[in-house]
PDB file of all heavy atoms in Angstrom:
ATOM      1  N   PHE A 895      -4.115  -1.124 -18.907  1.00  0.00           N
ATOM      2  CA  PHE A 895      -3.476   0.010 -18.220  1.00  0.00           C
ATOM      3  C   PHE A 895      -2.737   0.914 -19.210  1.00  0.00           C
ATOM      4  O   PHE A 895      -2.393   0.498 -20.323  1.00  0.00           O
ATOM      5  CB  PHE A 895      -2.418  -0.490 -17.224  1.00  0.00           C
ATOM      6  CG  PHE A 895      -2.943  -1.192 -16.005  1.00  0.00           C
ATOM      7  CD1 PHE A 895      -2.036  -1.713 -15.079  1.00  0.00           C
ATOM      8  CD2 PHE A 895      -4.298  -1.345 -15.753  1.00  0.00           C
ATOM      9  CE1 PHE A 895      -2.471  -2.369 -13.938  1.00  0.00           C
ATOM     10  CE2 PHE A 895      -4.746  -1.999 -14.613  1.00  0.00           C
ATOM     11  CZ  PHE A 895      -3.828  -2.510 -13.699  1.00  0.00           C
ATOM     12  N   GLU A 925     -10.520  -0.916 -15.556  1.00  0.00           N
ATOM     13  CA  GLU A 925      -9.350  -0.044 -15.416  1.00  0.00           C
ATOM     14  C   GLU A 925      -8.677   0.052 -16.760  1.00  0.00           C
ATOM     15  O   GLU A 925      -8.030  -0.880 -17.237  1.00  0.00           O
ATOM     16  CB  GLU A 925      -8.303  -0.431 -14.359  1.00  0.00           C
ATOM     17  CG  GLU A 925      -7.215   0.668 -14.270  1.00  0.00           C
ATOM     18  CD  GLU A 925      -6.191   0.529 -13.147  1.00  0.00           C
ATOM     19  OE1 GLU A 925      -6.437  -0.201 -12.161  1.00  0.00           O
ATOM     20  OE2 GLU A 925      -5.142   1.167 -13.254  1.00  0.00           O
ATOM     21  N   HIS A 930     -10.491   4.304 -13.657  1.00  0.00           N
ATOM     22  CA  HIS A 930     -10.902   3.006 -13.088  1.00  0.00           C
ATOM     23  C   HIS A 930     -12.279   3.207 -12.452  1.00  0.00           C
ATOM     24  O   HIS A 930     -12.426   3.240 -11.232  1.00  0.00           O
ATOM     25  CB  HIS A 930      -9.867   2.552 -12.064  1.00  0.00           C
ATOM     26  CG  HIS A 930     -10.014   1.135 -11.607  1.00  0.00           C
ATOM     27  ND1 HIS A 930     -10.986   0.270 -12.078  1.00  0.00           N
ATOM     28  CD2 HIS A 930      -9.284   0.420 -10.711  1.00  0.00           C
ATOM     29  CE1 HIS A 930     -10.842  -0.901 -11.475  1.00  0.00           C
ATOM     30  NE2 HIS A 930      -9.822  -0.839 -10.647  1.00  0.00           N
ATOM     31  N   LEU A 963       3.358   3.630 -11.297  1.00  0.00           N
ATOM     32  CA  LEU A 963       1.950   3.204 -11.390  1.00  0.00           C
ATOM     33  C   LEU A 963       1.158   4.199 -12.232  1.00  0.00           C
ATOM     34  O   LEU A 963       1.488   5.372 -12.308  1.00  0.00           O
ATOM     35  CB  LEU A 963       1.337   3.112  -9.990  1.00  0.00           C
ATOM     36  CG  LEU A 963       1.902   2.046  -9.061  1.00  0.00           C
ATOM     37  CD1 LEU A 963       1.096   1.998  -7.771  1.00  0.00           C
ATOM     38  CD2 LEU A 963       1.921   0.673  -9.733  1.00  0.00           C
ATOM     39  N   PRO A 964       0.068   3.701 -12.841  1.00  0.00           N
ATOM     40  CA  PRO A 964      -0.783   4.570 -13.651  1.00  0.00           C
ATOM     41  C   PRO A 964      -1.460   5.671 -12.824  1.00  0.00           C
ATOM     42  O   PRO A 964      -1.524   5.588 -11.595  1.00  0.00           O
ATOM     43  CB  PRO A 964      -1.845   3.605 -14.198  1.00  0.00           C
ATOM     44  CG  PRO A 964      -1.303   2.238 -14.001  1.00  0.00           C
ATOM     45  CD  PRO A 964      -0.392   2.300 -12.817  1.00  0.00           C
ATOM     46  N   VAL A 967      -6.403   5.371 -11.242  1.00  0.00           N
ATOM     47  CA  VAL A 967      -7.196   5.347 -10.002  1.00  0.00           C
ATOM     48  C   VAL A 967      -7.370   6.761  -9.441  1.00  0.00           C
ATOM     49  O   VAL A 967      -8.504   7.179  -9.162  1.00  0.00           O
ATOM     50  CB  VAL A 967      -6.602   4.361  -8.978  1.00  0.00           C
ATOM     51  CG1 VAL A 967      -7.255   4.518  -7.614  1.00  0.00           C
ATOM     52  CG2 VAL A 967      -6.739   2.922  -9.480  1.00  0.00           C
ATOM     53  N   LYS A1019      -3.002   6.730  -2.360  1.00  0.00           N
ATOM     54  CA  LYS A1019      -2.712   6.077  -3.645  1.00  0.00           C
ATOM     55  C   LYS A1019      -1.391   6.608  -4.159  1.00  0.00           C
ATOM     56  O   LYS A1019      -1.118   7.797  -4.043  1.00  0.00           O
ATOM     57  CB  LYS A1019      -3.813   6.388  -4.676  1.00  0.00           C
ATOM     58  CG  LYS A1019      -3.626   5.698  -6.025  1.00  0.00           C
ATOM     59  CD  LYS A1019      -3.878   4.195  -5.956  1.00  0.00           C
ATOM     60  CE  LYS A1019      -3.629   3.490  -7.279  1.00  0.00           C
ATOM     61  NZ  LYS A1019      -2.207   3.112  -7.445  1.00  0.00           N
ATOM     62  N   CYS A1057      -7.509   1.404  -2.742  1.00  0.00           N
ATOM     63  CA  CYS A1057      -8.166   0.487  -3.682  1.00  0.00           C
ATOM     64  C   CYS A1057      -7.600  -0.928  -3.618  1.00  0.00           C
ATOM     65  O   CYS A1057      -8.273  -1.870  -4.040  1.00  0.00           O
ATOM     66  CB  CYS A1057      -8.049   1.035  -5.101  1.00  0.00           C
ATOM     67  SG  CYS A1057      -6.347   1.147  -5.701  1.00  0.00           S
ATOM     68  N   LEU A1058      -6.362  -1.071  -3.093  1.00  0.00           N
ATOM     69  CA  LEU A1058      -5.632  -2.347  -3.078  1.00  0.00           C
ATOM     70  C   LEU A1058      -5.313  -2.787  -4.515  1.00  0.00           C
ATOM     71  O   LEU A1058      -6.095  -2.472  -5.406  1.00  0.00           O
ATOM     72  CB  LEU A1058      -6.396  -3.446  -2.336  1.00  0.00           C
ATOM     73  CG  LEU A1058      -6.860  -3.115  -0.899  1.00  0.00           C
ATOM     74  CD1 LEU A1058      -7.565  -4.340  -0.302  1.00  0.00           C
ATOM     75  CD2 LEU A1058      -5.706  -2.682  -0.013  1.00  0.00           C
ATOM     76  N   PRO A1059      -4.216  -3.452  -4.788  1.00  0.00           N
ATOM     77  CA  PRO A1059      -3.231  -3.947  -3.825  1.00  0.00           C
ATOM     78  C   PRO A1059      -2.396  -2.803  -3.262  1.00  0.00           C
ATOM     79  O   PRO A1059      -2.132  -1.836  -3.964  1.00  0.00           O
ATOM     80  CB  PRO A1059      -2.351  -4.869  -4.674  1.00  0.00           C
ATOM     81  CG  PRO A1059      -2.389  -4.272  -6.045  1.00  0.00           C
ATOM     82  CD  PRO A1059      -3.786  -3.729  -6.196  1.00  0.00           C
TER      83      PRO A1059
HETATM   84  C1  LIG B 863      -2.626  -0.703 -10.320  1.00  0.00           C
HETATM   85  C2  LIG B 863      -2.684   0.818 -10.398  1.00  0.00           C
HETATM   86  O1  LIG B 863      -2.094   1.491  -9.581  1.00  0.00           O
HETATM   87  O2  LIG B 863      -3.371   1.329 -11.315  1.00  0.00           O
HETATM   88  C3  LIG B 863      -3.988  -1.297 -10.053  1.00  0.00           C
HETATM   89  C4  LIG B 863      -4.743  -0.724  -8.911  1.00  0.00           C
HETATM   90  C5  LIG B 863      -6.147  -1.167  -8.849  1.00  0.00           C
HETATM   91  N1  LIG B 863      -1.744  -1.087  -9.226  1.00  0.00           N
HETATM   92  C6  LIG B 863      -0.634  -1.783  -9.437  1.00  0.00           C
HETATM   93  O3  LIG B 863      -0.257  -2.057 -10.553  1.00  0.00           O
HETATM   94  C7  LIG B 863       0.151  -2.188  -8.220  1.00  0.00           C
END
Side-chain angles (χ1 to χ4, degrees):
F895 290 178
E925 185 173 341
H930 191 1
L963 294 186
V967 169
K1019 183 71 183 86
C1057 64
L1058 307 182

